[in-house]
Amino acid sequence: MSRMPAAAPMDFVGSSAAVCDAVLSLRGESLHAELGRIASALLASAHCAFIPEGVRHPPMVEGALLQEVRAGGQCFGRFEVAGRAYTVEDWRLLESLAGLTGSVLHMHALAQRSTHAYAQVEAQLAHQSQILDQIHESVLTMDRLGYITSWNKGAERLFGYTALEAVGRNILFLYADEEQDAQDVFAEQGGRMMEVRRRKKSGEVFWASLSLSPLRDLNDRPIGLIAYLTDITERKLAEERLHHLAYYQELTGLPNRTLFGRLVDQALMVAQRNDATGCVLYLDLNRFKLVNGTLGRKIGDELLRQVAERLRTTLRDEDVVAHLSGDEFAIGLFDIRQHFEATTVAQKLQAALQAPFMVQGHDLRLGASIGISVYPQDGQDAETLLRMADIAMERAKDNADNPDRSVAFYRLDMNEGMQHRMQIESGLRHALGNGELILHYQPKFEIESNRVVGAEALVRWKHPVRGMVPPGDFIPLAESTGLIVQVGEWVLEQACAQAAIWQRAGLPPFRLAVNVSAREFTPSLPGRVADTLKRYRLDPQWLELEITESTLMRDIEHVIAIMDRISALGVALSLDDFGTGYSSLSYLKRFPIDTLKIDRSFTTGIPDDTSDCAIASTIIGMGRKLGHRVIAEGVETIEQLEFLRSAGCDEVQGYLYGKPLPAYEFETNLREHWLAAGDDDAAGEWLGG
């Protein structure tokens, strides 16, 4: 039994404080001895000891008090007290001391374990941080809104931002400019692998491999994302280089045969859905092999680069052009209305090659033979169409007097139509510069007065061999090739010149109508009209411009602005072919129109066709309510005239009154018949004639 000197008496409060101090400051046998001393002092006993759990100790004398020290389901030891006779009150006092000591020891043990565990966690986190900082890969974490919560050394090296600069900012500040408006995927697609473009602190944009994994709390609830990034810029550049080598001709930078096939097949799928037409052109350079063989490959390569550039600038962005091999190129056309338009493109390509090529001091000239295949008639896929176009190209080269201007379709029936079309186009270009175009004038009569109030200038082509070429043969062609602009400029010029002659001759003014195509209806038109009037000193009341309904529907505000400028000149505006387009009444009332012209397709059936009658009557009623004069064209019978008169139509134009005539004949009839047609006898004279 442990023997200790009797301690000074101590109350329970003092004992409690002493136990707390001992547990906090002492360890091992020193703690055990102090706990025994405290018990001895509390119970005024000469003999007292604290026996730790698991330690064997000889029993004290008979009659000693024994009390286990327990807390939290754990036994820490026992108190043994002896040296006097003890009461129940002494036993309860020792029990309380044991309970207090057990609680303090239990709390101290918990605190020690927590401190040790925290130290271990800190050490582990420091260890993991060292590992993250040593790896090359960039690792960062974000909360669920994309705000950065941690940033390793790898991220500092990759982006150039320190952890102090990055933590707390939203991940969007690392995005490349083109991604700023893109929906953020960080908060939605944890675990996804992707390749992204990011921006460094220096402003450099680079490619990165990004892996996102969910970040979870101790209860396995998602609280953010872990992002792993690796710079893959070099790999991407290598891939792009390989892709370019696989799908583009290195010399010219144009798509090669493989890519051309893929692009054409994709376009054919769209054409099939839209029931549209497509064409493939096979272009073979003439005389290139001679240049390449004579002057060497270096000059030949530069020549091919210049050819590719001319082809590229001649075509539209939506057209596909490829360099197949050597001196052979291919073009895919899919935004066309009919296959004959491909001949216009072919001619433009040939014209683009006409100017000499300057290569290292050499003046070189090339031409091209072109073959054309048509989807879907000649093939359903790119390879077939290319093969058919190649065959057509060989036919063009073999059968042409001038290979540099030779074009052929794969199908012979298309060739015949193309040859006719090309002859017409070539002849029309020649006619514009050689005085073969002339104007005829068809009178317009006011129904009530039977007097001429205007005339329409109609272009005619007097071919030196074929004679008079019908307008239907060359006007649509002029529209599709763009020649209509030159034709329209010529018509305006000649009509104003003729009107000026009649003005100086003292004829009473009447409106001379000139048709304006949609291609001509541009912001430059009002200025051109003003210049022409000024040049011929022509009063604006002599001129009227007829525009088609389809012209108005391209860009309403743009068109109205042009029309207002024309009206401000004092020139009248007439809406031609009314009823055949898609005019909205809400827009029609805004147009500064003087006259509505009923298309001949609606006057043909009058008065027998009830639909034509209803349409004509509606147009007349609409025009009058909007304050416009109404004229009907194509009037050929008395019955048509009487119906239009009763319906309230203002003017008529057609073979009943007069066919289109050359200027001299028109003036003769004007002086001898039409200007005097105010009385019934005179009217009967020219109507009967």
Side-chain angles (χ1 to χ4, degrees), residues 263-275 375 380:
L263 294 175
V264 169
D265 281 334
Q266 290 174 4
L268 291 179
M269 293 175 64
V270 177
Q272 185 179 28
R273 288 197 298 268
N274 298 334
D275 195 24
Y375 169 85
Q380 304 287 323

Side-chain angles (χ1 to χ4, degrees), residues 251 288 291-292 295-305:
L251 177 63
F288 173 77
V291 172
N292 200 45
L295 300 178
R297 182 172 180 178
K298 187 175 181 180
I299 289 179
D301 287 350
E302 176 58 27
L303 181 57
L304 286 175
R305 279 191 285 268

Side-chain angles (χ1 to χ4, degrees), residues 145-177:
L145 296 177
Y147 288 92
I148 298 170
T149 54
S150 70
W151 184 266
N152 80 333
K153 294 291 184 182
E156 289 188 5
R157 289 189 294 270
L158 179 61
F159 288 98
Y161 293 99
T162 64
L164 188 62
E165 293 173 308
V167 172
R169 299 181 68 177
N170 194 284
I171 194 68
L172 292 175
F173 87 100
L174 300 174
Y175 281 25
D177 290 341

Side-chain angles (χ1 to χ4, degrees), residues 121 124-125 215-223:
V121 169
Q124 186 177 10
L125 289 174
L215 181 65
R216 301 181 183 278
D217 62 12
L218 295 177
N219 295 318
D220 202 35
R221 292 175 299 191
I223 59 173

